[in-house]
Amino acid sequence: MRLVSKYSLAFGLFISVLVMLSSCGSRKNMVYLQSDSTQINTVYEQYIPKIQPNDILTIVVTAADPKVTAPFNPISSMTTSNMTQQTDMALRPTYTVDNKGDINLPMLGKVSVLGLTRLEAIEKIRTELSQYIKEPGVNINFNNFRVSVLGEVARPGSFIMPTERVTVLEALGMAGDLTIRGVRENVMLIREVDGQKKIHRLDLTQQNTLNSPYYYLAQNDVIYVEPNKAQINNSKLGANTNIIISIASLLITVISVLTR
């Protein structure tokens, strides 16, 4: 019986060592943006998101005389001093960009905004409004600037961003950061461009990621963090736990019989 106990103890220690070894990771695989000779020259203006078909834009027109803006803000007349900011935002007029890249504005009719940045679209609409309003003001916001984060993060999901200036690190932060099991050197970013989805890879352990054209996100981007080998192996071990326990029990029984 002592021999059986020794075998049982040895088997348990063997499994524990395997688990510990599979969970180990080196510093270079874990630390973000490790120091190197890379010169950081990220310029957000080079990667500002452009308006795409099916984007939903909130557009509010302002002027010195609020009465002249009423035809261009068809829902703004419903607002009252008692409304919360959230309710007021919900009542502001929104416009969906059609498949041709146009929005249909009151009085102005169809205005093409495809491929424009938010600021470029503001300037274009302001110019169009000048024929009706003296020195008009225009504010445009994305209503559907959504980014999805999947895989080995603490809180996977889809997130509506309050601004279009968002980085991959900020999106991962909203998802609770990568887990210890996430592969930081090969983060996948899926982006749709001109109706086609394209896959790009980012190495978050390297500083040159800050210079990547995909460091700043676009609307509807999907970030996927794959599990490391240890997590994959642990999953296999978990799925086969009953088999391993059965085999171990059988071996211990056989050894017990043979050593009587």
Side-chain angles (χ1 to χ4, degrees):
M1 292 300 294
R2 288 182 179 179
L3 182 60
V4 174
S5 298
K6 290 180 180 180
Y7 275 110
S8 300
L9 179 60
F11 180 78
L13 289 173
F14 176 72
I15 294 297
S16 299
V17 170
L18 283 180
V19 172
M20 290 176 62
L21 289 175
S22 65
S23 301
C24 293
S26 64
R27 180 182 183 278
K28 72 175 184 177
N29 295 330
M30 300 302 298
V31 178
Y32 294 133
L33 308 178
Q34 297 169 38
S35 298
D36 56 29
S37 59
T38 300
Q39 183 176 356
I40 308 303
N41 56 7
T42 309
V43 180
Y44 170 68
E45 285 70 22
Q46 295 178 357
Y47 312 118
I48 297 176
K50 307 294 175 55
I51 297 174
Q52 304 173 5
N54 300 317
D55 277 345
I56 302 174
L57 307 176
T58 296
I59 303 177
V60 177
V61 179
T62 60
D65 182 2
K67 292 181 181 179
V68 301
T69 66
F72 304 96
N73 298 322
I75 309 179
S76 63
S77 59
M78 298 174 58
T79 59
T80 70
S81 59
N82 295 327
M83 286 186 175
T84 64
Q85 182 179 5
Q86 184 176 3
T87 304
D88 179 59
M89 287 295 294
L91 291 174
R92 292 184 179 184
T94 58
Y95 304 88
T96 301
V97 183
D98 65 23
N99 291 333
K100 295 181 180 180
D102 298 331
I103 52 175
N104 197 358
L105 295 176
M107 305 290 290
L108 299 181
K110 285 192 175 183
V111 177
S112 177
V113 293
L114 182 65
L116 300 181
T117 66
R118 187 178 65 87
L119 294 181
E120 289 171 344
I122 287 175
E123 189 57 37
K124 181 172 185 176
I125 294 173
R126 184 159 41 199
T127 300
E128 297 278 349
L129 286 170
S130 296
Q131 58 184 313
Y132 300 100
I133 302 174
K134 183 179 180 180
E135 297 182 357
V138 178
N139 185 35
I140 298 179
N141 287 302
F142 287 94
N143 254 30
N144 66 325
F145 200 98
R146 182 189 303 272
V147 174
S148 298
V149 185
L150 308 174
E152 285 294 336
V153 292
R155 296 186 299 273
S158 294
F159 306 92
I160 296 293
M161 300 298 173
T163 173
E164 71 271 17
R165 182 168 179 155
V166 57
T167 69
V168 62
L169 293 178
E170 289 170 331
L172 290 170
M174 294 184 72
D177 199 4
L178 280 72
T179 68
I180 197 71
R181 302 174 296 275
V183 177
R184 287 150 173 77
E185 310 99 304
N186 195 29
V187 173
M188 180 190 300
L189 188 145
I190 305 171
R191 176 172 297 175
E192 184 171 324
V193 180
D194 298 328
Q196 294 185 336
K197 289 182 172 59
K198 298 184 178 181
I199 294 177
H200 310 279
R201 301 281 180 171
L202 297 171
D203 184 352
L204 300 184
T205 67
Q206 301 298 314
Q207 283 190 3
N208 60 15
T209 296
L210 297 176
N211 294 330
S212 169
Y214 307 103
Y215 177 66
Y216 286 101
L217 301 180
Q219 59 272 47
N220 303 315
D221 276 356
V222 177
I223 299 170
Y224 172 68
V225 181
E226 64 183 57
N228 59 19
K229 291 181 180 179
Q231 175 65 6
I232 294 173
N233 291 336
N234 287 342
S235 297
K236 292 179 181 178
L237 180 63
N240 297 320
T241 298
N242 292 335
I243 298 176
I244 294 174
I245 292 175
S246 298
I247 293 175
S249 299
L250 178 62
L251 287 174
I252 291 173
T253 302
V254 170
I255 293 172
S256 175
V257 172
L258 293 177
T259 55
R260 281 180 181 176

